[in-house]
Amino acid sequence: MQGFEKYKKMYFMPPVDCYDWVKKDSIEEAPIWCSVDLRDGNQALVVPMSLDEKLEFFRLLCDIGFKEIEVGFPAASETEYEFLRKLIDDNLIPDDVTIQVLTQCREHLVKRTFEAIQGIKKAVVHIYNSTSTLQRDVVFHMDREEIKKIAVDGAKLVKQLSEEYEGNFLFEYSPESFTGTEPEYAVEVCNAVLDVMQPTPDRPMIINLPVTVEMSMPHIYANQIEWCSKHLKYRDSVILSTHPHNDRGCGVADAELAVLAGAQRIECCLFGNGERTGNVDAITLAMNMYSHGVDPHLDFSNMPAICEVYERVTRMHVYERTPYAGTLVFAAFSGSHQDAIAKGMTWRKEKHLHEWTCPYIPIDPHDIGRTYDADVIRINSQSGKGGIGFLLQQNYGYNPPPKMREDLGYRVKEVSDHEHRELGVQEVLAVFEKSYLNHTAPLNVSEAHFVQNENGSITAKVTITSGGNTTPCTATGNGRLDAVATAIEQQTGMHFTLVHYSEHALDADTNARACSYVGLKWASGEETWGCGTHTDIIVAGIKALVSAINNR
């Protein structure tokens, strides 16, 4: 690809390599979560949310369990100012939720921000200025000391105003474009801000090291985070935070490795919404922890409802393959995958397992409000007998034998292939019933009576209807079904061998129907299948036999 030579590495490694995080193999506990959907996420929308939509989204975030929510940049627009005042004046902020507001380190913006939060019970005031080499040279035309002075002056003003306004205020500082900043200089600026704020363990300060633009592989960011964590002042009074964007598609990896490297807090958005390629996806991060047995302290147990609200108020679409939340993330169309999943589900049921173990499905779809029939086994022309049989059993109680499932699989795939579409579970049932169930034409046994002989054999007196003619006949066999089959062969001149018979209860109540399956092999080598249902198990077996005959 032409043009690659105009790019070069723009990230900075810390003075000393820090790789303690490499020794950790997993995240052991959830970080502090801060949703920035209503600020960073909202400013990335083609059509920003209205006041009512913001309020609905805010309630959704509270219901999910976010305890810190950045609601806007109140000094930037009247709409964001009014939204914040609505939350405060109408007492809409739950007692256990802390509101966060963002402002640049500019005097008039900081003052306007404190006007916006007047009367609030508690809030995080988040100030920032850009520190990267590129921004220093290209945007601000300032040297290191001048950029640091912006941060220090902003911190002094925030501290002064926090003493003039009523409220419980916590402070956050971000060296914006941290990933393009020399780590030792970023720490120098952060420490200067910390010296102004003088945090304590009882009143900590948030230092946020954002991936404003993703410039490196995730392990480089983890190295930067660990080095900064070890060199920040007041470390026991600092909550180290991260705010990953997703320019290289590694936002989730950046966040996870940052936590291993010492980050205690993550600023994130539902479904990764945000500027450009987006912010890190809160759902993927939380559910990744959940899938490893760690409580994320966020509730995504009704994922379909969350998706519905999100899509409606943001006018964004949750991509079908979005991890955990997409409509197709559990879907298996491949026959071999379906077979493994079906066997996994059956194995779990037989073993009465609580621990989740199922091939191809990393978490139980039920945990996030999804269903097996609609979300896991999906039927199209690529599907196989295992998945199709699983759907019949899961939804309607039918459990056809393996060879019959194979025959059914070909019939279902033929329909899907011919119509070029996916089939629903009811359509699969319709194919099954049309192909095998209780067929009475062209031949039918309308009546059968049995006599037990002294030698153990059974004599059947059978009434056969075929071609408009009704004929009584009698035959003997080693069982009731064998006697009926012999009577049919003698009367019609057919020749077949009963190669399969099985039965099970179809319903759970006292009036349960019996379900029987019959497989026949003909002189030509052809095999046909039939299914019969009835409250009488003998009748069900006869119906299955007749259906198999009629399927020739």
Side-chain angles (χ1 to χ4, degrees), residues 349-408:
K349 186 175 182 180
E350 290 173 348
K351 301 291 183 180
H352 305 288
L353 293 179
H354 174 70
E355 180 181 347
W356 181 254
T357 51
C358 185
Y360 298 112
I361 309 294
I363 68 165
D364 187 346
H366 284 170
D367 290 350
I368 57 173
R370 305 284 288 273
T371 60
Y372 299 145
D373 59 332
D375 295 303
V376 178
I377 305 294
R378 305 282 290 265
I379 303 302
N380 64 13
S381 59
Q382 306 301 309
S383 303
K385 61 182 185 296
I388 293 168
F390 174 79
L391 283 185
L392 280 177
Q393 186 173 8
Q394 184 80 10
N395 293 278
Y396 303 109
Y398 291 108
N399 187 20
K403 285 193 173 182
M404 188 177 182
R405 289 190 184 204
E406 184 176 356
D407 187 74
L408 173 63

Side-chain angles (χ1 to χ4, degrees), residues 153-429:
D153 289 347
K156 289 178 178 177
L157 180 58
V158 165
K159 187 173 184 180
Q160 173 194 328
L161 291 174
S162 70
E163 295 168 355
E164 297 175 5
Y165 283 82
E166 291 186 7
N168 180 12
F169 302 114
L170 296 176
F171 309 114
E172 176 177 352
Y173 172 71
S174 291
E176 195 214 5
S177 58
F178 165 76
T179 46
T181 304
E182 309 90 331
E184 63 273 22
Y185 176 60
V187 167
E188 179 185 333
V189 175
C190 290
N191 282 337
V193 171
L194 288 167
D195 282 337
V196 172
M197 295 303 192
Q198 296 288 309
T200 65
D202 293 334
R203 195 178 181 83
M205 180 175 183
I206 301 167
I207 293 295
N208 186 55
L209 303 178
V211 184
T212 307
V213 178
E214 217 174 16
M215 296 179 170
S216 67
M217 294 176 69
H219 74 287
I220 301 297
Y221 181 58
N223 207 349
Q224 295 166 336
I225 289 291
E226 185 174 309
W227 190 88
C228 291
S229 177
K230 290 178 177 179
H231 290 83
L232 285 171
K233 292 183 177 180
Y234 314 92
R235 188 62 186 90
D236 63 345
S237 303
V238 169
I239 298 171
L240 188 57
S241 178
T242 179
H243 180 120
H245 280 245
N246 198 42
D247 302 87
R248 290 169 56 95
C250 300
V252 169
D254 286 333
E256 291 182 330
L257 295 190
V259 170
L260 293 182
Q264 300 151 285
R265 179 178 183 270
I266 298 176
E267 296 186 345
C268 47
C269 286
L270 298 185
F271 307 105
N273 184 36
E275 292 282 17
R276 306 182 309 278
T277 51
N279 294 314
V280 68
D281 182 359
I283 294 174
T284 300
L285 283 171
M287 293 306 301
N288 281 356
M289 295 176 199
Y290 182 85
S291 71
H292 281 191
V294 176
D295 183 357
H297 302 300
L298 294 177
D299 183 3
F300 295 109
S301 59
N302 193 351
M303 195 71 78
I306 293 170
C307 292
E308 187 280 323
V309 173
Y310 172 82
E311 291 190 325
R312 177 163 45 79
V313 302
T314 67
R315 300 164 188 84
M316 299 285 283
H317 173 63
V318 177
Y319 174 52
E320 288 78 4
R321 302 292 181 185
T322 298
Y324 302 105
T327 57
L328 295 179
V329 295
F330 299 115
F333 293 101
S334 161
S336 60
H337 286 207
Q338 291 177 347
D339 183 61
I341 291 168
K343 288 175 178 174
M345 295 289 193
T346 301
W347 189 73
R348 293 190 73 256
K349 186 175 182 180
E350 290 173 348
K351 301 291 183 180
H352 305 288
L353 293 179
H354 174 70
E355 180 181 347
W356 181 254
T357 51
C358 185
Y360 298 112
I361 309 294
I363 68 165
D364 187 346
H366 284 170
D367 290 350
I368 57 173
R370 305 284 288 273
T371 60
Y372 299 145
D373 59 332
D375 295 303
V376 178
I377 305 294
R378 305 282 290 265
I379 303 302
N380 64 13
S381 59
Q382 306 301 309
S383 303
K385 61 182 185 296
I388 293 168
F390 174 79
L391 283 185
L392 280 177
Q393 186 173 8
Q394 184 80 10
N395 293 278
Y396 303 109
Y398 291 108
N399 187 20
K403 285 193 173 182
M404 188 177 182
R405 289 190 184 204
E406 184 176 356
D407 187 74
L408 173 63
Y410 288 124
R411 294 172 186 262
V412 170
K413 289 194 288 186
E414 183 179 359
V415 173
S416 176
D417 196 29
H418 178 71
E419 298 187 12
H420 301 288
R421 64 180 180 87
E422 180 184 356
L423 300 185
V425 64
Q426 290 182 327
E427 293 175 298
V428 172
L429 174 66

Side-chain angles (χ1 to χ4, degrees), residues 507-527:
D507 309 303
D509 55 31
T510 55
N511 295 318
R513 291 171 297 162
C515 182
S516 298
Y517 306 97
V518 165
L520 301 178
K521 188 166 186 177
W522 301 80
S524 63
E526 177 187 6
E527 289 188 3

